[in-house]
Amino acid sequence: MQQNGTGSTDTESGTGGNGRLVGLVTVLALVNFVVDSAITAPLLVLPEMLDHFGTGQAAWLNATAMLAGVMWAPLLGKSADIHGKRAVLILALLISCAGALLCAVAPSIWMFVLGRMLQGAALAAMFLSVAIVRGVCPPRIAMIIVGIVTSGSAALNIASRFLIEQLAEEFGFQILFLVSAFVAAVMVICVRTVVPESPVKRPGRIDVGGALLLGGGLAGMLGYVSLGSDLGWLAVGPLALLVGGVAALARWFLVSSRKPDSLIDIGDLGGSLVLTLLVVFLAAGAYQSLLQLVPLIGGTSAEQQLGYGLADQGSVALLLAAPGLGVTLGGPAAGWLAARIGPAATLAGAVVLGTVVSLGMFLGASRLPAALCCGFLLGVTAGALGTSGFNVAGSLASAERQGIVSSLVMVVLSVGAVVLDFVGAAVLKSTAVTVDGGTVNSATGVFSYIAIACGAFTIAAVLAVMLVRSTGLRHHTSPSPGLKRERV
């Protein structure tokens, strides 16, 4: 691939350029499939894993990879800006591959947890893919490709679920981790062969201590929220994570401002980037919490007379599949819109759509057609929000800081999802009622849950409008004399 005058890879000239572009998009989309195989797919075999290790601590097996991914993100993002995004992406895939192999052969639960922590490095694949695209493609094309890369694997994820279940039944849950390791290894070869190295690198050193403090602090606090509900809020493990997380973040905040080459220069973070991260945090949490509510509503029958329920109205399988289809369409559509109306306006549109859809869930809780529509549009919102968040943040950052900025977007996407899921779960638990000797979610809890998501979307929409008004990204898709990139 040749460099054009702006420093981006010329992917538009000639059939060869088009072929290389298709190859790049295909490989990076498949790289993001590795993220699903490492982070979320193991949930399908969670009961088998619990039985194998003779434990009831599902939280450790479930949340460890995501928590570790949040910890890995700042370190790998900064490393990518200095040493090259392709090189660090390959490293992340190799670490994930090693973690999957360890999980497949782990003789004890603690060895398995260590493997899951290594697998968490796969989370970097998504934001590094985005940074690679922005580094090698012209800005307008990059926005579209970011949508395809971040959302294109959603349909493949849905199809793989059925295969994973069948393989696990026949060969045991370990086969899932062997498959994950194999896919990661194949992607290492593909990335090395197809993906060009970053044309822009930032000279400097990696603040390893700062990265570990920031990542460890975020993972510790997120771990308390994730694990506390299962293990107990005053249990030794979750409390240790909370105290350690708060201490690490406090130490990072105090030290980073005095370092000349800190991981993130807080003083120059930029108001527009902060607004972007807040919007993504709130909106990601809102849509993820609603997606978690969908199967709870779908598994409840209206005959129980709780004021909600869809189980007796038709195929609930469609209800669960609709968001995946929406994600597949929402990401590329958001990229296409961003190239025409600007990434900030597209982000605002995604949040407004999510607000309207969350209101529709009040009706969807008891009407299957409305629920199907809302489920699909929630998926569209999810795909569009992730794509737009990466596009806005990338447009606000200089070329040599794409890695660290993309990692921050990935962090707030993950943290927002966990925090709002916890808040919703706490509401459902506190409002549960007893029916025929069993505990079920009440209508008060379900509709309060939806109302919280509506509130988060509404606040995010207000912030998104402020973002559009405060930046030149409404009409510009690349830096110009009238649009100065902000430092991060």
Side-chain angles (χ1 to χ4, degrees):
M1 297 183 180
Q2 286 187 325
Q3 301 294 320
N4 61 23
T6 65
S8 299
T9 300
D10 186 359
T11 57
E12 296 181 283
S13 58
T15 304
N18 290 334
R20 288 191 291 271
L21 177 60
V22 171
L24 176 72
V25 173
T26 302
V27 167
L28 292 181
L30 290 175
V31 161
N32 281 289
F33 177 66
V34 176
V35 180
D36 179 77
S37 71
I39 305 296
T40 60
L43 296 179
L44 296 174
V45 293
L46 183 59
E48 291 84 350
M49 293 190 294
L50 293 174
D51 183 64
H52 176 80
F53 292 110
T55 180
Q57 303 296 340
W60 287 111
L61 305 184
N62 177 20
T64 305
M66 177 63 77
L67 299 179
V70 171
M71 183 178 68
W72 281 106
L75 178 60
L76 294 176
K78 182 74 170 184
S79 299
D81 287 335
I82 296 175
H83 297 293
K85 299 172 183 63
R86 183 183 69 173
V88 176
L89 175 57
I90 290 174
L91 175 63
L93 291 171
L94 288 173
I95 295 173
S96 178
C97 178
L101 290 174
L102 181 57
C103 288
V105 301
S108 67
I109 185 173
W110 298 115
M111 289 294 290
F112 183 86
V113 168
L114 176 60
R116 293 292 285 151
M117 292 181 67
L118 293 175
Q119 267 198 298
L123 195 67
M126 179 171 289
F127 67 78
L128 289 176
S129 297
V130 171
I132 287 171
V133 168
R134 296 196 64 86
V136 301
C137 295
R140 291 179 65 86
I141 293 179
M143 290 185 182
I144 299 172
I145 295 179
V146 165
I148 298 173
V149 165
T150 57
S151 305
S153 63
L156 185 59
N157 294 339
I158 296 173
S160 69
R161 296 292 192 269
F162 301 99
L163 178 61
I164 289 172
E165 290 177 347
Q166 292 179 357
L167 289 175
E169 289 179 3
E170 186 170 353
F171 300 104
F173 75 88
Q174 291 88 347
I175 190 67
L176 168 62
F177 295 97
L178 292 176
V179 170
S180 179
F182 174 76
V183 173
V186 170
M187 285 301 101
V188 167
I189 298 172
C190 292
V191 169
R192 182 67 182 83
T193 304
V194 175
V195 178
E197 186 50 279
S198 311
V200 178
K201 297 179 184 179
R202 178 192 178 196
R205 65 181 184 85
I206 301 172
D207 179 14
V208 177
L212 293 178
L213 284 174
L214 176 59
L218 289 169
M221 296 188 68
L222 193 58
Y224 178 74
V225 174
S226 300
L227 306 179
S229 58
D230 286 345
L231 305 181
W233 299 112
L234 299 179
V236 175
L239 275 180
L241 287 173
L242 176 62
V243 173
V246 172
L249 285 178
R251 177 65 178 169
W252 171 77
F253 184 82
L254 291 174
V255 172
S256 64
S257 60
R258 299 196 295 266
K259 286 189 175 182
D261 194 20
S262 61
L263 186 70
I264 301 172
D265 190 344
I266 299 176
D268 290 326
L269 195 61
S272 296
L273 180 60
V274 171
L275 271 178
T276 301
L277 296 177
L278 284 174
V279 170
V280 173
F281 170 82
L282 289 168
Y287 80 66
Q288 185 62 38
S289 66
L290 287 176
L291 288 175
Q292 294 295 327
L293 183 64
V294 166
L296 298 179
I297 295 174
T300 302
S301 173
E303 294 179 355
Q304 294 178 263
Q305 297 182 345
L306 295 171
Y308 70 95
L310 302 170
D312 54 350
Q313 295 188 34
S315 174
V316 180
L318 291 175
L319 181 63
L320 300 177
L325 177 60
V327 169
T328 304
L329 298 177
W336 181 83
L337 280 174
R340 284 154 179 79
I341 66 174
T346 305
L347 177 62
V351 176
V352 170
L353 174 62
T355 306
V356 174
V357 173
S358 62
L359 291 171
M361 282 298 295
F362 283 105
L363 179 61
S366 57
R367 298 288 186 273
L368 184 60
L372 287 171
C373 180
C374 288
F376 171 75
L377 292 177
L378 272 177
V380 172
T381 300
L385 183 69
T387 297
S388 300
F390 282 119
N391 278 334
V392 174
S395 298
L396 291 169
S398 57
E400 65 272 13
R401 294 177 181 266
Q402 290 293 316
I404 187 61
V405 170
S406 296
S407 75
L408 292 179
V409 176
M410 193 74 249
V411 166
V412 296
L413 278 169
S414 302
V415 174
V418 172
V419 170
L420 267 292
D421 274 353
F422 157 71
V423 171
V427 168
L428 292 178
K429 185 176 181 180
S430 65
T431 56
V433 296
T434 301
V435 177
D436 297 330
T439 301
V440 296
N441 297 317
S442 67
T444 299
V446 169
F447 292 124
S448 297
Y449 188 115
I450 297 173
I452 290 172
C454 288
F457 264 128
T458 301
I459 296 173
V462 173
L463 295 176
V465 172
M466 292 172 58
L467 176 66
V468 172
R469 292 179 176 178
S470 67
T471 71
L473 297 178
R474 296 186 300 272
H475 306 298
H476 301 281
T477 57
S478 60
S480 66
L483 175 58
K484 181 181 179 180
R485 287 183 185 267
E486 298 189 35
R487 286 189 63 195
V488 256

